Structures are given as C-alpha cells and as structure tokens.
Amino acid sequence: MKEFIQSLPKVELHLHLEGTLEPELMFALAKRNDVDIPFNSIDQVRDAYSFHNLQSFLDIYYQGANVLINEQDFFDLTWAYLRRCQGDNVLHTEVFFDPQTHTARGISFETVVNGIHRALVQGATELGISSKLIMCFLRHLDEESAFKTLQQAQPHRDKIVAVGLDSSEIGHPPAKFERVFKNAITLGFLTVAHAGEEGAASNISEALNLLQITRIDHGVRCSEDETLVKQLVSERIPLTVCPLSNIKLKVFDTMAQHNIVELLRKGLCVTINSDDPAYFGGYMVDNFSAVANAHPMSKMEIAQFTFNAIAASFISKSEKERLRIVTQSYLDLHP
Ligand code: HPA
Ligand code: ZN
C-alpha cells in the first residue's frame, strides 16, 4: 500500500505556508537575516515540537515565523514546500498564508505576497504543480485588523482566490468576522474557515450560516451533531481534514480513534491534508500512510480522498476533469 500511496495523484487543500518552515530553513534564515531564535540546535527545535493543544503549537509557530523578513525568504519557504509536493506527487495545492503574522512585525504585505506568488508561478512552470493562494485572518486579532488586511489584499486580487480564518478557535467564534467575510464576498473572494477543530460542532454551523463558507477546514467535531453530519453529506460540503495535526494537537488520542474513515464511509466529502507539516511530522504521503495504517482501506477508498479533493478544489471544471481522469487512470492501472 505504501507504493500505491506514494504514486497516487494528490491534491492538497489545507496547508499553512508558515507551517512548512523546517528547522533547517529556520536556522538558515535566522543566520541570513541576523534574527535571534531561542534554539541552539536543530534537535532542540524538534524537541520543542511537543504540543498539548492548539495554543501551545501556535505560540511556537508564530515565533518561528520571525525569521521570515525579505521577499526571497517567502520565496524560499514556498519553493521548499513545492519541492515536497513534487516528491509526494501532489499535482495541485491550495495554500494559506497569514499576512497579519508578518505585517504586525513591520514586514509589508507586498513582500509576503510577492515572494509567495513568485514561487507558486515557478512551481507551475518548472514543476507542473498548479496552485491557489488563500489569505487567512487571525481570529485572535480584532475585526478592525482583519478589515485592514482585506484592504491591503485589494491590489493583489489576481493572486489571492479566497479568504480563510485560522488561529485560536476557542473564544473567537465565526460570528466575530461576519462583516469582514460579507465584505470579502462582495469583493469577489471565495471563503473558507477553520471550524470544529478544537471548537464545538456549533462553530461549523455558525461558519456555514454567517460566513457563507464553501468548505470547512478541519470540521472533525461535526460528529457530535448528527443533523449537521446529514447536512454536510446532502449539501456535499467538503472538510479539509489534517490527520497528523489532529494527533499532535490532541484532538484525537490515537490515529485509530480518528473519525476520518468513518466520515468517508458516511458519504462526507472528506480530504487528507498536512496543515503544518514541519511541525506535525509529515507531508501528504505521511498523512495518507498514517490513516491507511490505522484504518484498513481499499485502494478505491484511499483514492476517494483524491477524488474528493479534486471536487472540493477551487480550480475550473475542465481542470477538475483533467485531474479526475489522471487519478482514475492511475487507479485502473493499480487495482
Ligand atoms: N488551526 C488553527 N490555526 C492554525 C492552524 C490550525 O491547525 N495551523 C496554523 N494556524
Ligand atoms: Zn490549519
């Protein structure tokens, strides 16, 4: 099954670029930019990646981002991730970035978005990996800061396809950003939001109703509300699930207890994603393998995660059809 997973065409829909900062690159950028980091060695960094909940991760994740200063840093970060995609046979990826993490430190919005965009364009031409960029608002910050960020994104409408919502879910419900999302939709952005990761299933319903999102990031706590599960199935609302992330952040105790396969078998449009792979122990192949090892599945079921991700992506109908055919051909050749 390992070889089947390795070569299976994949589509990633939940990936924070800041969460792809490997300790090696963190050290290299700290040196290049003369930034102090509270670690003496790469092993010490990896030892610090032991989390007991979402907030304990976020504290370290925002600290790591301090080494990103110049446009080239954002290019290098994004490019390193795209090379990982190439290794894992990820054909299309929709990636998040958190502008406020950088603008709050005096880095301009342009520096961030231009570095990322340049790498994504090069990824398409040199690696054949297509992509979309999603700008997330940090939900622990206020509405005013989100509105300001939305305004900064305006000149870059051609580079950013959607807005999202991430950071600390508990205490910062979707309702806090209802007006920001309404405005973003008026401006032509698609919308997604993290909901039902650590927070209750009611956050998923609230995000659907108030933020008019078209897919849910995480969403695994939907299981607590059977009516909601039925709605997600009947309306084909996708969940971008991140299995290794959920174990690292103690959303589930073990992979065997993870509900992703149960949700797949109930007919939900669930997908597998890596979230913050440098912090959570793996990229796409690692996430697929961890799920398949804990939950015996047929090859068709494993491939269904790719078919679901194609359907849930923000690419055109014709691009979806092309990826669907590529995946179906692979499945036909490896029954
Ligand atoms: N949840 C919320 N915010 C985040 C995450 C996550 O998994 N990763 C990066 N920011
Ligand atoms: Zn996430």
Side-chain angles (χ1 to χ4, degrees), residues 14 16 96 166 194 197 217-218 242 275-276:
H14 186 151
H16 302 262
F96 300 125
D166 65 3
H194 283 51
E197 177 189 16
D217 296 316
H218 292 295
C242 307
D275 207 4
D276 302 283

Side-chain angles (χ1 to χ4, degrees), residues 151-171:
Q151 200 176 14
Q152 289 170 327
Q154 269 298 88
H156 303 282
R157 267 297 288 118
D158 57 327
K159 304 185 191 84
I160 302 168
V161 68
V163 299
L165 192 61
D166 65 3
S167 189
S168 323
E169 184 179 1
I170 291 171

Side-chain angles (χ1 to χ4, degrees), residues 12-214:
E12 175 143 64
L13 303 177
H14 186 151
L15 181 283
H16 302 262
L17 285 171
E18 293 88 349
T20 67
L21 181 64
E22 291 288 343
E24 290 78 6
L25 185 58
M26 189 193 291
F27 267 85
L29 293 180
K31 195 167 171 210
R32 183 158 100 188
N33 294 327
D34 199 15
V35 174
D36 278 338
I37 52 172
F39 306 108
N40 294 319
S41 69
I42 285 167
D43 281 348
Q44 216 183 55
V45 182
R46 294 205 193 276
D47 285 349
Y49 292 177
S50 162
F51 313 113
H52 52 274
N53 60 13
L54 175 60
Q55 193 59 49
S56 65
F57 153 69
L58 290 171
D59 292 343
I60 286 202
Y61 163 84
Y62 294 131
Q63 190 178 57
N66 283 337
V67 301
L68 299 160
I69 307 279
N70 301 305
E71 187 187 309
Q72 188 62 36
D73 305 336
F74 290 93
F75 174 92
D76 291 345
L77 177 76
T78 309
W79 186 249
Y81 163 65
L82 290 169
R83 295 301 301 266
R84 297 279 192 157
C85 285
Q86 185 186 32
D88 278 4
N89 204 24
V90 174
L91 304 182
H92 174 73
T93 182
E94 304 193 350
V95 299
F96 300 125
F97 75 117
D98 290 336
Q100 289 153 298
T101 298
H102 314 297
T103 52
R105 301 179 288 120
I107 313 293
S108 81
F109 192 97
E110 277 65 35
T111 298
V112 180
V113 82
N114 289 342
I116 293 171
H117 182 71
R118 188 157 56 84
L120 295 179
V121 169
Q122 193 169 317
T125 54
E126 280 187 22
L127 308 177
I129 298 169
S130 59
S131 60
K132 300 280 182 196
L133 183 57
I134 303 171
M135 171 178 92
C136 280
F137 302 114
L138 298 180
R139 65 204 306 160
H140 66 274
L141 300 180
D142 60 18
E143 184 195 42
E144 189 189 340
S145 175
F147 266 121
K148 190 170 168 212
T149 304
L150 186 58
Q151 200 176 14
Q152 289 170 327
Q154 269 298 88
H156 303 282
R157 267 297 288 118
D158 57 327
K159 304 185 191 84
I160 302 168
V161 68
V163 299
L165 192 61
D166 65 3
S167 189
S168 323
E169 184 179 1
I170 291 171
H172 304 283
K176 185 174 163 185
F177 296 94
E178 184 178 1
R179 297 194 305 179
V180 178
F181 271 62
K182 276 216 164 74
N183 207 308
I185 291 168
T186 310
L187 294 171
F189 291 100
L190 298 169
T191 54
V192 297
H194 283 51
E197 177 189 16
E198 268 196 347
S202 58
N203 273 354
I204 301 173
S205 304
E206 199 176 300
L208 289 170
N209 297 332
L210 300 185
L211 308 185
Q212 296 170 49
I213 58 169
T214 53

